[in-house]
Amino acid sequence: MATLRQWVEQSGVQLQPRRIFARNDRIVVEQIATWRVSETGEMTDPDTVATAFVVRDGLIHSVIRYPSLSDACDATGLGLADETPSSGQCL
């Protein structure tokens, strides 16, 4: 977890969760992402992305970012039935 935390801090990415889908050891989070441009220090325009996590024994085993929620749901087999309360829907 410390390595993942370090990467996020060093990357300059800011992620705001929007929707969450989960079943067993798989989690997909739709996020609004912005990055700091290293050359200028300015933040990029917001972009919607999704991140898939595999969590086992309380530890993150893998993290894969996808360009869209539908791509992440397709890759993980998650769908509308896996949406957590107060989330939107898997496209």
Side-chain angles (χ1 to χ4, degrees), residues 10-22:
Q10 292 172 355
S11 73
V13 68
Q14 294 181 2
L15 301 167
Q16 178 183 0
R18 292 185 62 195
R19 296 187 260 182
I20 300 171
F21 301 81

mmCIF file with all atom_site columns, all heavy atoms in Angstrom, residues 10-22:
data_model
loop_
_atom_site.group_PDB
_atom_site.id
_atom_site.type_symbol
_atom_site.label_atom_id
_atom_site.label_alt_id
_atom_site.label_comp_id
_atom_site.label_asym_id
_atom_site.label_entity_id
_atom_site.label_seq_id
_atom_site.pdbx_PDB_ins_code
_atom_site.Cartn_x
_atom_site.Cartn_y
_atom_site.Cartn_z
_atom_site.occupancy
_atom_site.B_iso_or_equiv
_atom_site.pdbx_formal_charge
_atom_site.auth_seq_id
_atom_site.auth_comp_id
_atom_site.auth_asym_id
_atom_site.auth_atom_id
_atom_site.pdbx_PDB_model_num
ATOM 1   N N   . GLN A 1 10 ? 3.432   11.069 -6.105  1.00 0.00 ? 10 GLN A N   1
ATOM 2   C CA  . GLN A 1 10 ? 4.451   11.522 -7.057  1.00 0.00 ? 10 GLN A CA  1
ATOM 3   C C   . GLN A 1 10 ? 3.883   11.818 -8.434  1.00 0.00 ? 10 GLN A C   1
ATOM 4   O O   . GLN A 1 10 ? 4.412   12.647 -9.160  1.00 0.00 ? 10 GLN A O   1
ATOM 5   C CB  . GLN A 1 10 ? 5.567   10.481 -7.172  1.00 0.00 ? 10 GLN A CB  1
ATOM 6   C CG  . GLN A 1 10 ? 6.385   10.358 -5.909  1.00 0.00 ? 10 GLN A CG  1
ATOM 7   C CD  . GLN A 1 10 ? 7.361   9.187  -5.970  1.00 0.00 ? 10 GLN A CD  1
ATOM 8   O OE1 . GLN A 1 10 ? 7.370   8.406  -6.911  1.00 0.00 ? 10 GLN A OE1 1
ATOM 9   N NE2 . GLN A 1 10 ? 8.180   9.064  -4.938  1.00 0.00 ? 10 GLN A NE2 1
ATOM 10  N N   . SER A 1 11 ? 2.791   11.144 -8.804  1.00 0.00 ? 11 SER A N   1
ATOM 11  C CA  . SER A 1 11 ? 2.219   11.319 -10.139 1.00 0.00 ? 11 SER A CA  1
ATOM 12  C C   . SER A 1 11 ? 1.529   12.663 -10.310 1.00 0.00 ? 11 SER A C   1
ATOM 13  O O   . SER A 1 11 ? 1.355   13.132 -11.425 1.00 0.00 ? 11 SER A O   1
ATOM 14  C CB  . SER A 1 11 ? 1.219   10.202 -10.436 1.00 0.00 ? 11 SER A CB  1
ATOM 15  O OG  . SER A 1 11 ? 0.037   10.389 -9.681  1.00 0.00 ? 11 SER A OG  1
ATOM 16  N N   . GLY A 1 12 ? 1.100   13.262 -9.196  1.00 0.00 ? 12 GLY A N   1
ATOM 17  C CA  . GLY A 1 12 ? 0.383   14.522 -9.278  1.00 0.00 ? 12 GLY A CA  1
ATOM 18  C C   . GLY A 1 12 ? -1.068  14.354 -9.681  1.00 0.00 ? 12 GLY A C   1
ATOM 19  O O   . GLY A 1 12 ? -1.763  15.331 -9.936  1.00 0.00 ? 12 GLY A O   1
ATOM 20  N N   . VAL A 1 13 ? -1.550  13.121 -9.743  1.00 0.00 ? 13 VAL A N   1
ATOM 21  C CA  . VAL A 1 13 ? -2.935  12.879 -10.120 1.00 0.00 ? 13 VAL A CA  1
ATOM 22  C C   . VAL A 1 13 ? -3.851  13.174 -8.932  1.00 0.00 ? 13 VAL A C   1
ATOM 23  O O   . VAL A 1 13 ? -3.490  12.926 -7.779  1.00 0.00 ? 13 VAL A O   1
ATOM 24  C CB  . VAL A 1 13 ? -3.142  11.431 -10.630 1.00 0.00 ? 13 VAL A CB  1
ATOM 25  C CG1 . VAL A 1 13 ? -2.974  10.411 -9.521  1.00 0.00 ? 13 VAL A CG1 1
ATOM 26  C CG2 . VAL A 1 13 ? -4.489  11.274 -11.301 1.00 0.00 ? 13 VAL A CG2 1
ATOM 27  N N   . GLN A 1 14 ? -5.007  13.737 -9.232  1.00 0.00 ? 14 GLN A N   1
ATOM 28  C CA  . GLN A 1 14 ? -6.045  13.939 -8.235  1.00 0.00 ? 14 GLN A CA  1
ATOM 29  C C   . GLN A 1 14 ? -7.275  13.202 -8.731  1.00 0.00 ? 14 GLN A C   1
ATOM 30  O O   . GLN A 1 14 ? -7.723  13.424 -9.860  1.00 0.00 ? 14 GLN A O   1
ATOM 31  C CB  . GLN A 1 14 ? -6.346  15.419 -8.039  1.00 0.00 ? 14 GLN A CB  1
ATOM 32  C CG  . GLN A 1 14 ? -5.192  16.176 -7.436  1.00 0.00 ? 14 GLN A CG  1
ATOM 33  C CD  . GLN A 1 14 ? -5.516  17.645 -7.216  1.00 0.00 ? 14 GLN A CD  1
ATOM 34  O OE1 . GLN A 1 14 ? -6.611  18.116 -7.468  1.00 0.00 ? 14 GLN A OE1 1
ATOM 35  N NE2 . GLN A 1 14 ? -4.520  18.378 -6.740  1.00 0.00 ? 14 GLN A NE2 1
ATOM 36  N N   . LEU A 1 15 ? -7.800  12.306 -7.903  1.00 0.00 ? 15 LEU A N   1
ATOM 37  C CA  . LEU A 1 15 ? -8.931  11.460 -8.285  1.00 0.00 ? 15 LEU A CA  1
ATOM 38  C C   . LEU A 1 15 ? -10.104 11.697 -7.345  1.00 0.00 ? 15 LEU A C   1
ATOM 39  O O   . LEU A 1 15 ? -9.960  11.602 -6.131  1.00 0.00 ? 15 LEU A O   1
ATOM 40  C CB  . LEU A 1 15 ? -8.521  9.983  -8.235  1.00 0.00 ? 15 LEU A CB  1
ATOM 41  C CG  . LEU A 1 15 ? -7.364  9.594  -9.139  1.00 0.00 ? 15 LEU A CG  1
ATOM 42  C CD1 . LEU A 1 15 ? -6.844  8.219  -8.774  1.00 0.00 ? 15 LEU A CD1 1
ATOM 43  C CD2 . LEU A 1 15 ? -7.796  9.643  -10.597 1.00 0.00 ? 15 LEU A CD2 1
ATOM 44  N N   . GLN A 1 16 ? -11.248 12.012 -7.933  1.00 0.00 ? 16 GLN A N   1
ATOM 45  C CA  . GLN A 1 16 ? -12.468 12.201 -7.154  1.00 0.00 ? 16 GLN A CA  1
ATOM 46  C C   . GLN A 1 16 ? -13.430 11.072 -7.517  1.00 0.00 ? 16 GLN A C   1
ATOM 47  O O   . GLN A 1 16 ? -13.889 10.991 -8.656  1.00 0.00 ? 16 GLN A O   1
ATOM 48  C CB  . GLN A 1 16 ? -13.096 13.553 -7.473  1.00 0.00 ? 16 GLN A CB  1
ATOM 49  C CG  . GLN A 1 16 ? -14.380 13.794 -6.735  1.00 0.00 ? 16 GLN A CG  1
ATOM 50  C CD  . GLN A 1 16 ? -15.009 15.116 -7.134  1.00 0.00 ? 16 GLN A CD  1
ATOM 51  O OE1 . GLN A 1 16 ? -14.492 15.863 -7.959  1.00 0.00 ? 16 GLN A OE1 1
ATOM 52  N NE2 . GLN A 1 16 ? -16.156 15.397 -6.553  1.00 0.00 ? 16 GLN A NE2 1
ATOM 53  N N   . PRO A 1 17 ? -13.737 10.178 -6.558  1.00 0.00 ? 17 PRO A N   1
ATOM 54  C CA  . PRO A 1 17 ? -14.636 9.061  -6.863  1.00 0.00 ? 17 PRO A CA  1
ATOM 55  C C   . PRO A 1 17 ? -16.050 9.533  -7.179  1.00 0.00 ? 17 PRO A C   1
ATOM 56  O O   . PRO A 1 17 ? -16.537 10.485 -6.575  1.00 0.00 ? 17 PRO A O   1
ATOM 57  C CB  . PRO A 1 17 ? -14.613 8.209  -5.601  1.00 0.00 ? 17 PRO A CB  1
ATOM 58  C CG  . PRO A 1 17 ? -13.868 8.973  -4.584  1.00 0.00 ? 17 PRO A CG  1
ATOM 59  C CD  . PRO A 1 17 ? -13.262 10.177 -5.212  1.00 0.00 ? 17 PRO A CD  1
ATOM 60  N N   . ARG A 1 18 ? -16.679 8.851  -8.140  1.00 0.00 ? 18 ARG A N   1
ATOM 61  C CA  . ARG A 1 18 ? -18.068 9.148  -8.495  1.00 0.00 ? 18 ARG A CA  1
ATOM 62  C C   . ARG A 1 18 ? -18.971 7.959  -8.227  1.00 0.00 ? 18 ARG A C   1
ATOM 63  O O   . ARG A 1 18 ? -19.946 8.068  -7.526  1.00 0.00 ? 18 ARG A O   1
ATOM 64  C CB  . ARG A 1 18 ? -18.167 9.536  -9.969  1.00 0.00 ? 18 ARG A CB  1
ATOM 65  C CG  . ARG A 1 18 ? -17.488 10.866 -10.253 1.00 0.00 ? 18 ARG A CG  1
ATOM 66  C CD  . ARG A 1 18 ? -17.682 11.304 -11.669 1.00 0.00 ? 18 ARG A CD  1
ATOM 67  N NE  . ARG A 1 18 ? -19.116 11.498 -11.931 1.00 0.00 ? 18 ARG A NE  1
ATOM 68  C CZ  . ARG A 1 18 ? -19.627 11.604 -13.140 1.00 0.00 ? 18 ARG A CZ  1
ATOM 69  N NH1 . ARG A 1 18 ? -18.863 11.515 -14.188 1.00 0.00 ? 18 ARG A NH1 1
ATOM 70  N NH2 . ARG A 1 18 ? -20.909 11.794 -13.311 1.00 0.00 ? 18 ARG A NH2 1
ATOM 71  N N   . ARG A 1 19 ? -18.641 6.826  -8.825  1.00 0.00 ? 19 ARG A N   1
ATOM 72  C CA  . ARG A 1 19 ? -19.467 5.626  -8.682  1.00 0.00 ? 19 ARG A CA  1
ATOM 73  C C   . ARG A 1 19 ? -18.575 4.451  -8.317  1.00 0.00 ? 19 ARG A C   1
ATOM 74  O O   . ARG A 1 19 ? -17.429 4.383  -8.754  1.00 0.00 ? 19 ARG A O   1
ATOM 75  C CB  . ARG A 1 19 ? -20.210 5.319  -9.977  1.00 0.00 ? 19 ARG A CB  1
ATOM 76  C CG  . ARG A 1 19 ? -21.189 6.413  -10.346 1.00 0.00 ? 19 ARG A CG  1
ATOM 77  C CD  . ARG A 1 19 ? -22.015 5.999  -11.524 1.00 0.00 ? 19 ARG A CD  1
ATOM 78  N NE  . ARG A 1 19 ? -21.461 6.640  -12.716 1.00 0.00 ? 19 ARG A NE  1
ATOM 79  C CZ  . ARG A 1 19 ? -21.983 6.523  -13.932 1.00 0.00 ? 19 ARG A CZ  1
ATOM 80  N NH1 . ARG A 1 19 ? -23.031 5.782  -14.126 1.00 0.00 ? 19 ARG A NH1 1
ATOM 81  N NH2 . ARG A 1 19 ? -21.437 7.140  -14.939 1.00 0.00 ? 19 ARG A NH2 1
ATOM 82  N N   . ILE A 1 20 ? -19.137 3.505  -7.552  1.00 0.00 ? 20 ILE A N   1
ATOM 83  C CA  . ILE A 1 20 ? -18.362 2.354  -7.098  1.00 0.00 ? 20 ILE A CA  1
ATOM 84  C C   . ILE A 1 20 ? -19.166 1.078  -7.343  1.00 0.00 ? 20 ILE A C   1
ATOM 85  O O   . ILE A 1 20 ? -20.358 1.018  -7.035  1.00 0.00 ? 20 ILE A O   1
ATOM 86  C CB  . ILE A 1 20 ? -18.017 2.471  -5.602  1.00 0.00 ? 20 ILE A CB  1
ATOM 87  C CG1 . ILE A 1 20 ? -17.200 3.739  -5.359  1.00 0.00 ? 20 ILE A CG1 1
ATOM 88  C CG2 . ILE A 1 20 ? -17.264 1.229  -5.118  1.00 0.00 ? 20 ILE A CG2 1
ATOM 89  C CD1 . ILE A 1 20 ? -16.985 4.070  -3.898  1.00 0.00 ? 20 ILE A CD1 1
ATOM 90  N N   . PHE A 1 21 ? -18.493 0.071  -7.869  1.00 0.00 ? 21 PHE A N   1
ATOM 91  C CA  . PHE A 1 21 ? -19.071 -1.238 -8.127  1.00 0.00 ? 21 PHE A CA  1
ATOM 92  C C   . PHE A 1 21 ? -18.161 -2.269 -7.482  1.00 0.00 ? 21 PHE A C   1
ATOM 93  O O   . PHE A 1 21 ? -16.938 -2.157 -7.587  1.00 0.00 ? 21 PHE A O   1
ATOM 94  C CB  . PHE A 1 21 ? -19.160 -1.490 -9.638  1.00 0.00 ? 21 PHE A CB  1
ATOM 95  C CG  . PHE A 1 21 ? -20.003 -0.456 -10.343 1.00 0.00 ? 21 PHE A CG  1
ATOM 96  C CD1 . PHE A 1 21 ? -19.482 0.781  -10.673 1.00 0.00 ? 21 PHE A CD1 1
ATOM 97  C CD2 . PHE A 1 21 ? -21.324 -0.719 -10.637 1.00 0.00 ? 21 PHE A CD2 1
ATOM 98  C CE1 . PHE A 1 21 ? -20.250 1.749  -11.301 1.00 0.00 ? 21 PHE A CE1 1
ATOM 99  C CE2 . PHE A 1 21 ? -22.118 0.239  -11.258 1.00 0.00 ? 21 PHE A CE2 1
ATOM 100 C CZ  . PHE A 1 21 ? -21.579 1.475  -11.591 1.00 0.00 ? 21 PHE A CZ  1
ATOM 101 N N   . ALA A 1 22 ? -18.748 -3.264 -6.807  1.00 0.00 ? 22 ALA A N   1
ATOM 102 C CA  . ALA A 1 22 ? -17.907 -4.231 -6.103  1.00 0.00 ? 22 ALA A CA  1
ATOM 103 C C   . ALA A 1 22 ? -18.590 -5.594 -6.031  1.00 0.00 ? 22 ALA A C   1
ATOM 104 O O   . ALA A 1 22 ? -19.809 -5.693 -5.866  1.00 0.00 ? 22 ALA A O   1
ATOM 105 C CB  . ALA A 1 22 ? -17.609 -3.732 -4.698  1.00 0.00 ? 22 ALA A CB  1
#
